[in-house]
Amino acid sequence: ATTEVRNYGATAEAKTIELIKHLLLATLSVSVLIAVAMGVRASLLVALAIPVTLALTLAIYYFTGYTLNRVTLFALIFSIGILVDDAIVVVENIERHLKENRKVGLVAATIAAVAEVGNPTILATFTVIAAILPMAFVGGLMGPYMKPIPVGASLAMLLSLFVAFIVTPWAAVRVFKKHGRERAGSQIREQGVGKLDRLYRSVMELLLRRGRASLWFGALALALLLGASSLVYFKAVKVKMLPFDNKSEFQVLLDFPAQTPLARSLELSTELGRELLLHPEILKVQVFAGEAAPFSFSGMVKHTYLRGADYAADLQIVLSDKDKRTASSHAIIESLRPAIRRFGERHGAVTKVLEIPPGPPVLSTMLAEIYGPDENTRQRVAREVYEVFASEPSVVDLDATWRLGRARKLYTYDQLKGGMLGADAQQALAVGRLIFSETPLLSLNDASSPEDVNVELSVEQAVRSSDAPFARQSILSSETGTVQIGATLNGPKIVPNETLYRKNLKPVSYVMSELAGAEEAPVYGLLKLTPKIGYAQQTAEVPWHTQAPVVKWDGEWYITYEVFRDLGGAFAVAMILIYVLVLGWFRSFAVPFIIMAPIPLSLIGIIPGHAIIGAYFTATSMIGFIAGAGIIVRNSIILVDFIEQQLAAGVNLKEAVISAGVLRFRPMLLTAAAVVVGSSVILFDPIFQGLAVSLIFGEIAATILSRFAVPTLYYWAVGRRRERVLQSKQLKQLIPNEVV
């Protein structure tokens, strides 16, 4: 009977359908949010920006060669929450102008509203792009994998700017004209009369009246930031490259003692398979003894496709569908590890459990490369490192590359004897190949078989394993006609079967393992193991000089180091670009620092958010933090620009600072809410959960705190100076008009 144990086509189809559903759900959720907050007609204007922008983004994807896959679809879902920001700001300001300027025509009010927020919106959009786009240049293995996210989001943001300035005002004129400008403007509540606004004014009056109160507020924000960061130090939030996925399959590798025959390997592997089938969530176990399991991504990166020895077996294990069980595949695997380990100890086998990765493609999670000046020193140091690994309880699936394979019986051709007897060495080699290998004769075309059916010539196993496999075998001789092949051979002798490894042409020994328990990320394993190893250690580069023993850490830790290093570099570049953009617009060296101040405040939400959800802080979490930085700066720009517009109009500094927090909080809140709602649909995806957590909790914390922090910093740091500069500039612009 035929049994299906793997169908990646069905898996890909299911994930694609799920992501498309998430994309539609995100679009609908954001539209409903805008409808509740701004009214149905305004929500139609904002929602119109979503399909238009997505269609244009997909067109650019097509022309640039990107395909629709899991990552590009996630990029579109991620973009939903931010590509409506421009439209929200524009529509909200149009409604405010319609409310406040009833005597101005609809078209004139729309143009004035768009012009008022035009420059800060353009600047804010480019700051978001400046925050996201540098991530496209992250190198290493994760760079190409994650590249569609910054590229797609940046394209969507740029296109959404054109849509907000062209499509949205055009649609607003027609929608509001059809339904009446009075009704359109009546949806706006009177600003500043709500209880929250009155509370905000009271708090801001206190912060702006007394410098000590502002210092206490700053101290509170700093204490919250340090408290949130301490969650990483105390391991309430753990750091990992990528979280564990919830798959419906995994593999178990069994390496029995090298002398184990194939029949015994099959028997023992079947025994373990029957034991595993007792678990209620395991549906099928396929045993591959003496051959590798079918080629897979996991097998490629861990080199299991090369396994073909008689004493090696692979178990392909199929779990019940993830929608029909409550436990994740990782939890099930962890529950099975003790039984698999006991089986290995009972039969002297090395056991390994392979989870199908979303994680980085590495040979193992904890991988130590040992280099030395000579083979003896290298092996001695490698065995010491192996013992350090073995002493750590969290280390599982421990293995090393100096483990011997099955010993070989070696017959060597004696050139002197063969020459004296007139024998040909090539004929002796051909006879040896005939005896110890299968010789294919022909292939049968059998349509019922998925593979070719070969007819092969094979010598009996009893002859191969006897003490004289070359008995009565003759080869041609130029001296005597024929000669017994045994007369030309030396041996046999037993030689060990050891595999030699090199990296960058340097001899190397590997110690490899996985981690289990509460701390399964390599950074924590490294913190436990490195103090116990008394040799030079490094991560970034393969050692150039090996006159002394060197331990290089590779595996998942190296990928983690590389990705977070590159993301940190991308974040630094993003901050520089944002600073330059803001500096160019406001022409002040201090204002950009005030605008960028809420960025670290987002960690007050991000890190506790990971603790609440119980998620690792992963590479996608870092991407969410960087992208969130651009969105946070966007809101700060809108806030500061409104303050300076009022100062230029002659409004008192304190009133300008407070009223900006009141009047511009609505679009700030709506843009943040759109990001939160748009990201919530991927909150429970195992891979991109960190990105969603960072965006959701980071936006909530930064939006609330920045409403107080940015105006307060502006007032005390640059307010008086900026007030004089702006009002003098306005005066210079008015004097020529008065003279004329």
Side-chain angles (χ1 to χ4, degrees), residues 641-660:
D641 186 78
F642 197 81
I643 293 174
E644 300 210 334
Q645 286 182 27
Q646 291 186 300
L647 290 177
V651 178
N652 174 269
L653 174 61
K654 181 181 288 187
E655 178 57 29
V657 168
I658 295 175
S659 61

Side-chain angles (χ1 to χ4, degrees), residues 189-300:
R189 61 174 176 82
E190 291 295 332
Q191 301 287 349
V193 299
K195 293 182 179 179
L196 291 178
D197 287 341
R198 288 198 297 270
L199 176 62
Y200 174 75
R201 283 183 172 272
S202 301
V203 175
M204 286 304 298
E205 286 283 354
L206 176 63
L207 293 176
L208 302 184
R209 185 171 63 249
R210 300 173 58 188
R212 183 174 295 180
S214 299
L215 291 176
W216 277 111
F217 173 75
L220 175 62
L222 181 61
L224 290 174
L225 180 59
L226 293 175
S229 302
S230 69
L231 295 178
V232 177
Y233 177 80
F234 292 109
K235 301 178 183 178
V237 175
K238 298 183 178 68
V239 179
K240 197 177 188 298
M241 174 62 196
L242 283 177
F244 296 102
D245 205 348
N246 188 12
K247 298 286 189 178
S248 295
E249 59 171 318
F250 68 96
Q251 286 178 255
V252 176
L253 305 185
L254 302 174
D255 286 349
F256 296 102
Q259 302 306 316
T260 306
L262 177 61
R264 181 61 176 166
S265 298
L266 177 60
E267 178 186 351
L268 294 177
S269 303
T270 305
E271 176 187 328
L272 177 60
R274 290 197 177 98
E275 184 179 346
L276 295 177
L277 280 172
L278 298 177
H279 194 284
E281 301 294 356
I282 293 180
L283 300 181
K284 306 169 187 174
V285 177
Q286 176 72 48
V287 177
F288 297 90
E291 61 177 334
F295 200 95
S296 66
F297 179 72
S298 175
M300 178 183 68

Side-chain angles (χ1 to χ4, degrees), residues 347-637:
H347 297 287
V350 176
T351 62
K352 298 178 185 177
V353 180
L354 303 187
E355 296 190 50
I356 307 302
V362 293
L363 193 60
S364 65
T365 298
M366 291 294 296
L367 182 64
E369 301 175 358
I370 296 90
Y371 300 87
D374 55 71
E375 182 178 359
N376 291 334
T377 303
R378 188 183 75 250
Q379 289 292 353
R380 175 178 56 79
V381 174
R383 293 180 190 279
E384 291 178 17
V385 173
Y386 182 92
E387 293 302 322
V388 171
F389 272 64
S391 66
E392 172 54 45
S394 61
V395 168
V396 295
D397 298 351
L398 181 59
D399 196 9
T401 53
W402 58 83
R403 182 159 51 88
L404 297 178
R406 180 175 295 174
R408 295 174 296 168
K409 184 182 289 187
L410 181 64
Y411 293 86
T412 58
Y413 183 79
D414 192 318
Q415 294 287 350
L416 180 60
K417 293 180 181 178
M420 292 177 61
L421 296 173
D424 186 352
Q426 291 296 327
Q427 290 190 28
L429 177 63
V431 172
R433 184 182 296 112
L434 177 68
I435 293 174
F436 294 104
S437 302
E438 278 68 40
T439 303
L441 298 180
L442 56 94
S443 179
L444 300 179
N445 296 324
D446 187 354
S448 63
S449 175
E451 298 178 356
D452 291 340
V453 178
N454 294 325
V455 177
E456 297 176 334
L457 176 64
S458 177
V459 176
E460 290 184 358
Q461 186 62 36
V463 174
R464 289 178 174 177
S465 58
S466 67
D467 294 333
F470 293 100
R472 296 188 298 277
Q473 299 293 330
S474 301
I475 57 176
L476 295 177
S477 168
S478 60
E479 299 291 337
T480 61
T482 62
V483 62
Q484 293 289 324
I485 190 173
T488 66
L489 300 178
N490 293 324
K493 62 179 180 179
I494 305 299
V495 296
N497 186 359
E498 181 180 4
T499 303
L500 302 179
Y501 290 82
R502 281 176 173 79
K503 186 171 184 178
N504 288 7
L505 302 181
K506 294 182 181 296
V508 61
S509 298
Y510 291 97
V511 178
M512 59 198 80
S513 72
E514 302 296 324
L515 293 171
E519 299 172 356
E520 298 173 298
V523 61
Y524 303 108
L526 210 67
L527 291 174
K528 296 175 183 177
L529 296 177
T530 51
K532 303 177 182 178
I533 298 175
Y535 299 97
Q537 301 172 47
Q538 60 187 64
T539 295
E541 301 293 338
V542 174
W544 183 256
H545 299 290
T546 57
Q547 287 83 358
V550 180
V551 178
K552 180 191 179 298
W553 295 102
D554 207 278
E556 186 176 331
W557 164 244
Y558 173 70
I559 305 297
T560 303
Y561 163 83
E562 186 180 45
V563 169
F564 277 94
R565 179 199 62 193
D566 291 351
L567 285 176
F571 179 70
V573 172
M575 294 301 99
I576 294 172
L577 290 175
I578 291 173
Y579 182 87
V580 171
L581 288 170
V582 177
L583 172 65
W585 174 249
F586 289 100
R587 299 184 180 182
S588 168
F589 289 101
V591 169
F593 289 109
I594 295 172
I595 288 175
M596 296 165 67
I599 293 176
L601 297 181
S602 64
L603 293 173
I604 296 175
I606 290 174
I607 300 178
H610 282 79
I612 293 170
I613 300 298
Y616 285 100
F617 188 90
T618 63
T620 58
S621 303
M622 188 68 177
I623 292 174
F625 169 61
I626 297 173
I631 302 169
I632 293 163
V633 168
R634 170 199 189 90
N635 289 335
S636 299
I637 288 173

